[in-house]
Amino acid sequence: MRPLTMVDLKSQYEKIKPDVDKAIQFVIDNTQFIKGDAVKEFENELATYLGVKHVIGCANGTDALQIAMMALGLKPGDEVITTNFTFIATVEVIALLGLKPILVDVYPDTYNININELKKAISPKTKAIVPVHLFGQCAHMESLMEIAKQHNLFVIEDNAQAIGADYTFSSGITKKAGTIGHIGCTSFFPSKNLGCYGDGGALFTNDDELAEQIASIVNHGMKKRYYHDRIGVNSRLDTIQAAILRIKLPKLDEYILARQEVASYYTKAFQEIAEIDTPKIDSFTSHVFHQYTMRIKGGKREALKSFLESKNVPAMIYYPVPLHTQKAFLEFKDDRDFPITEELCNEVLSLPMHTELDEEQLTYITNSVIEFFENN
Ligand SMILES: *Cc1c(COP(=O)(O)O)cnc(C)c1O
């Protein structure tokens, strides 16, 4: 059996190696390292795939979130509501810009932002909501957008984990994750569902004016060279990364399907195990399974994780510490508590999830999990 890893970028690369190598070499031969043609081409191709008017590349997903908040004109002291159960980047940029992160608890079965808790967190100072489509399925965007409209709030979707997921509204209309709010942000970090070979990110919007602001901010706040209209940053998608992404984008749906098949395999195998809550998928969204994250009940997570490690099955905890108890965020701590996030941090466990898992590996992984529960 091929050794098990959480992600397997090497095997995926081997299948597209000739195209990728050629694309990289082309950029080197042309020396268009910054703002080369591949960047614009990739932005256009991704916009078509997503059905959104504008895609603007940037250096990484964290920058994308920061740039979105800058483009919307958020000012120090403004409150931004997001979920307590996410990767640190979401909250980090809020704090960096002098905005106040207001954390909200999540649903126990989908791990996405709880809409009732979100409503309770709105104050006169609230300016924006940042839903995170965690692990690959969309948050409750329809209700979230209605609330945002009522209160005149901006919505920035953190779509780093759910690129390609579909959201279906009650009207029957379907939109891609990240194209529903005012701005969508994504990351092309290598292990993401659409990953490049280094850092990369992008912002999406249907708003022409916002797109213009974003394009200016990513490039030192200038439209005309050396004329700076506003304070910006240096955050561009490298041409080499864009060239690689142009090879991988046409394969994204195939990659998503491979992930969904792995997820179905796991879920089916664990059906009879009482101590495992397999991931629930909400009816209004598809799940592109950036992670396969289950809840392990009965206080058995650590023992299961150690057992799996002893069998060379890697398993990871995304995420072990609630954001409100992170040392870096203690200054934002208030008296609210987050019972579901705390439960999740104690119970979640993610299994290997990538596009290259084969039947032999899947059988070995699921049998190892089953073996643990037969003896514990
Ligand atoms: C990966 C990730 C980011 C940040 O992306 P980078 O490209 O690593 O900066 C932001 N939010 C979430 C939810 C992520 O998973």
Side-chain angles (χ1 to χ4, degrees):
M1 186 181 68
R2 293 186 297 133
L4 293 166
T5 46
M6 286 301 289
V7 292
D8 183 356
L9 297 172
K10 184 94 203 286
S11 306
Q12 191 191 61
Y13 165 63
E14 274 158 11
K15 293 183 183 161
I16 51 175
K17 182 174 171 13
D19 289 344
V20 168
D21 291 0
K22 201 171 126 199
I24 294 174
Q25 193 59 51
F26 184 82
V27 177
I28 297 172
D29 289 340
N30 284 274
T31 67
Q32 281 190 348
F33 299 114
I34 303 293
K35 295 182 108 190
D37 294 340
V39 177
K40 192 92 235 124
E41 282 157 0
F42 171 68
E43 288 172 343
N44 290 339
E45 286 157 4
L46 184 57
T48 303
Y49 173 85
L50 293 170
V52 72
K53 223 165 151 189
H54 306 278
V55 170
I56 301 108
C58 68
N60 57 68
T62 308
D63 277 5
L65 290 161
Q66 178 181 330
I67 292 158
M69 289 172 205
M70 291 171 72
L72 292 170
L74 303 188
K75 295 274 180 313
D78 289 349
E79 292 181 0
V80 178
I81 300 174
T82 191
T83 147
N84 195 343
F85 193 61
T86 176
F87 180 56
I88 192 83
T90 323
V91 185
E92 198 171 40
V93 298
I94 298 173
L96 260 180
L97 291 174
L99 313 170
K100 189 169 179 211
I102 305 292
L103 301 175
V104 165
D105 214 352
V106 293
Y107 291 113
D109 49 3
T110 62
Y111 323 138
N112 272 328
I113 191 163
N114 181 311
I115 296 296
N116 285 324
E117 296 298 319
L118 161 64
K119 280 189 204 159
K120 285 193 246 163
I122 294 173
S123 86
K125 287 185 168 172
T126 309
K127 286 288 151 51
I129 310 170
V130 186
V132 180
H133 304 312
L134 199 73
F135 300 146
Q137 71 173 318
C138 297
H140 289 52
M141 288 308 289
E142 186 159 357
S143 355
L144 197 144
M145 292 306 292
E146 272 164 28
I147 295 165
K149 200 165 171 196
Q150 273 166 21
H151 296 268
N152 210 10
L153 307 176
F154 294 119
V155 175
I156 302 168
E157 296 175 74
D158 181 342
N159 195 32
Q161 302 190 0
I163 197 158
D166 290 309
Y167 186 96
T168 306
F169 288 83
S170 47
S171 65
I173 289 174
T174 293
K175 289 188 183 176
K176 287 282 183 203
T179 68
I180 300 164
H182 298 88
I183 302 179
C185 296
T186 203
S187 162
F188 305 120
F189 186 81
S191 63
K192 300 280 154 104
N193 285 24
L194 179 61
C196 61
Y197 292 177
D199 276 310
L203 299 100
F204 331 133
T205 186
N206 282 308
D207 184 315
D208 297 341
E209 233 165 86
L210 277 176
E212 208 173 294
Q213 286 295 331
I214 293 166
S216 155
I217 293 170
V218 298
N219 197 24
H220 298 296
M222 66 183 170
K223 220 161 44 181
K224 192 172 156 200
R225 207 158 189 194
Y226 303 123
Y227 290 78
H228 303 274
D229 306 320
R230 56 164 301 153
I231 302 287
V233 295
N234 173 12
S235 183
R236 293 173 295 236
L237 180 63
D238 285 346
T239 312
I240 287 184
Q241 302 305 342
I244 295 163
L245 288 164
R246 289 195 70 209
I247 311 289
K248 291 185 74 174
L249 178 60
K251 305 207 170 290
L252 179 58
D253 284 340
E254 190 186 303
Y255 288 159
I256 289 172
L257 202 61
R259 288 172 176 275
Q260 289 168 335
E261 280 170 5
V262 170
S264 308
Y265 194 100
Y266 285 151
T267 295
K268 202 157 155 241
F270 304 149
Q271 239 164 22
E272 307 296 321
I273 304 177
E275 291 102 326
I276 296 184
D277 283 354
T278 54
K280 185 204 150 195
I281 309 173
D282 268 322
S283 57
F284 48 73
T285 174
S286 66
H287 198 319
V288 296
F289 285 99
H290 174 57
Q291 299 295 346
Y292 185 89
T293 304
M294 40 188 198
R295 290 182 67 161
I296 309 299
K297 317 297 273 187
K300 293 184 180 174
R301 180 185 66 182
E302 298 308 316
L304 171 61
K305 188 169 185 287
S306 309
F307 177 78
L308 292 176
E309 273 158 17
S310 76
K311 312 246 340 168
N312 295 317
V313 176
M316 295 285 285
I317 297 167
Y318 307 116
Y319 299 94
V321 183
L323 295 175
H324 72 283
T325 63
Q326 293 279 6
K327 197 171 157 200
F329 289 97
L330 289 182
E331 66 172 291
F332 299 109
K333 200 166 160 46
D334 50 30
D335 52 7
R336 294 175 313 135
D337 54 3
F338 305 90
I340 305 300
T341 299
E342 283 175 8
E343 264 175 40
L344 290 175
C345 290
N346 289 324
E347 292 184 357
V348 286
L349 192 66
S350 302
L351 291 177
M353 173 52 83
H354 55 79
T355 58
E356 311 302 316
L357 282 158
D358 62 33
E359 180 99 23
E360 191 188 12
Q361 292 175 309
L362 288 173
T363 310
Y364 182 82
I365 295 168
T366 50
N367 283 348
S368 302
V369 172
I370 292 164
E371 188 188 335
F372 171 84
F373 285 105
E374 277 168 357
N375 300 309
N376 287 277

